Amino acid sequence: MKNGKLLFGFLMIGLLASSCYTEVIVEDDIFVDTPINTALVLENYDLWYVDINATKGNGEVPFLQRAFTISFDRGIVYANNNLVGIGKTGNGLGIDVGAYATLGGDVEINHDVDGLWRLEVYRVNNNTLELYDARSNTSYILRGFQRSTFDYDAVFYDNIHYFLQEYEVWEKTFTSEYGAINEFDEENYLQFFVDNGGYFRSSVDAQGIPLSTIQWDYEGDYVVYDVANDTTLKTLTLDYDFLGNDYFELYVINDSTIELYHVASETVYEFTGRGYMQYLKSNDGSGKKRSKTQNPTMNVTRQRNM
């Protein structure tokens, strides 16, 4: 009888030990798989569009705040920080801005200028990620695309107000022969700033002069509008202080030329960008940073016959 009790006791101890040992193995397997999955998730898409309007929190991660897209490719981080050249620079990925490594459910990014950042990675759905910075309690939403299907034009038009600011000056290089005479005929230079929501200056100085010698004659506020039911058309108003408004349809010819159609006079003007400002890795405070914006919408119809 005693031998039977001893044997039963040994069996129970063996079962308990086996049960505990199995539980530890399961926990270890989950932990080991995590960093591999994190890397695969980040590298699953060529481009991650930074949906700046979906950002949560009051802080910022500087290199994400600056980027239109970010990419993770075999340890290298790439970013498209400019609209000029987007789709062409770095075969569409942009410029090399740093290195990364995955650690558990996190990605550690060593940015060339902004330094070391450890961000938590969460997969929202198959093509959406959340990168969370615990230091600033800020989340960025990234939407994944492959280069072959990424609509660079849509990104361009959705962020066109930034494009206007990527050149120091826009110089008038063409005026159509048709169209009524108007005061804007005399203006040869435009300059756009983000200050106070949208501030511009214009000049009637002669074309072709050095940028540093331009004398600015007029200033005021500008607004870029979306157009209801027309995603490829933007409109622009220049609100001159004390001098009234000019209203244009805004078209992009290429990444250095815009076309302004002056609706009131039916005159077409072309402006070419001078003094391209490439936002590479600058941290001197002068570099562009994106912010939550939503263009107001106009209920108008396209007036120019294309």
Side-chain angles (χ1 to χ4, degrees):
M1 185 71 179
K2 288 182 180 178
N3 289 340
K5 288 182 178 179
L6 287 172
L7 179 60
F8 180 75
F10 285 131
L11 286 171
M12 289 300 294
I13 291 169
L15 286 171
L16 289 170
S18 175
S19 175
C20 292
Y21 182 77
T22 302
E23 185 176 357
V24 171
I25 289 294
V26 170
E27 291 295 319
D28 285 349
D29 284 348
I30 291 173
F31 178 78
V32 169
D33 285 346
T34 302
I36 298 174
N37 290 340
T38 302
L40 289 175
V41 166
L42 291 172
E43 296 166 3
N44 194 40
Y45 287 96
D46 296 331
L47 297 147
W48 293 97
Y49 177 67
V50 182
D51 186 351
I52 208 71
N53 287 332
T55 305
K56 301 173 184 176
N58 297 320
E60 69 172 33
V61 178
F63 59 88
L64 289 177
Q65 199 73 30
R66 194 178 296 124
F68 293 101
T69 70
I70 191 167
S71 300
F72 300 90
D73 183 20
R74 292 168 292 182
I76 304 298
V77 182
Y78 297 89
N80 277 300
N81 296 332
N82 281 81
L83 289 170
V84 174
I86 194 168
K88 295 177 286 187
T89 303
N91 290 321
L93 298 183
I95 60 171
D96 174 352
V97 296
Y100 73 94
T102 53
L103 305 165
D106 298 354
V107 58
E108 189 172 77
I109 297 174
N110 188 6
H111 192 269
D112 290 347
V113 166
D114 296 325
L116 195 64
W117 295 77
R118 185 161 178 166
L119 306 174
E120 298 172 23
V121 181
Y122 299 95
R123 189 159 77 171
V124 179
N125 56 45
N126 285 337
N127 72 327
T128 306
L129 294 183
E130 176 184 347
L131 296 188
Y132 175 69
D133 175 39
R135 287 184 293 181
S136 64
N137 190 28
T138 303
S139 291
Y140 288 84
I141 299 300
L142 277 56
R143 308 196 188 279
F145 298 89
Q146 305 300 355
R147 272 180 286 190
S148 59
T149 58
F150 189 61
D151 193 341
Y152 290 98
D153 289 340
V155 173
F156 207 101
Y157 274 94
D158 286 346
N159 297 277
I160 200 167
H161 49 289
Y162 291 115
F163 173 55
L164 296 177
Q165 300 159 20
E166 288 186 7
Y167 289 97
E168 290 183 46
V169 171
W170 291 90
E171 180 181 4
K172 186 188 291 179
T173 51
F174 171 80
T175 302
S176 63
E177 295 182 359
Y178 55 86
I181 295 173
N182 68 92
E183 292 182 350
F184 194 76
D185 288 340
E186 304 301 319
E187 298 185 42
N188 290 321
Y189 296 97
L190 292 172
Q191 190 174 50
F192 296 94
F193 303 91
V194 72
D195 300 349
N196 300 318
Y199 164 73
F200 81 97
R201 299 194 295 185
S202 65
S203 173
V204 298
D205 284 356
Q207 294 163 282
I209 64 174
L211 300 185
S212 59
T213 63
I214 296 174
Q215 298 294 314
W216 299 104
D217 303 294
Y218 308 105
E219 61 183 41
D221 298 324
Y222 77 94
V223 180
V224 175
Y225 292 86
D226 294 335
V227 175
N229 304 314
D230 194 339
T231 58
T232 62
L233 176 63
K234 303 294 179 182
T235 60
L236 171 70
T237 60
L238 302 181
D239 183 2
Y240 294 86
D241 291 346
F242 312 112
L243 295 174
N245 293 7
D246 271 318
Y247 167 66
F248 304 89
E249 292 180 354
L250 171 60
Y251 299 93
V252 177
I253 306 303
N254 54 48
D255 61 10
S256 65
T257 308
I258 59 173
E259 185 176 272
L260 299 181
Y261 175 65
H262 192 260
V263 175
S265 69
E266 300 183 343
T267 307
V268 175
Y269 306 97
E270 285 186 9
F271 283 80
T272 299
R274 291 181 58 187
Y276 170 51
M277 296 179 287
Q278 188 174 27
Y279 303 115
L280 292 168
K281 306 164 186 177
S282 172
N283 65 345
D284 62 1
S286 63
K288 171 231 12 113
K289 289 183 181 179
R290 298 172 69 203
S291 59
K292 290 184 179 182
T293 56
Q294 185 171 4
N295 294 334
T297 300
M298 274 192 176
N299 288 304
V300 296
T301 56
R302 192 185 298 254
Q303 295 301 303
R304 188 179 175 209
N305 295 321
M306 302 297 288

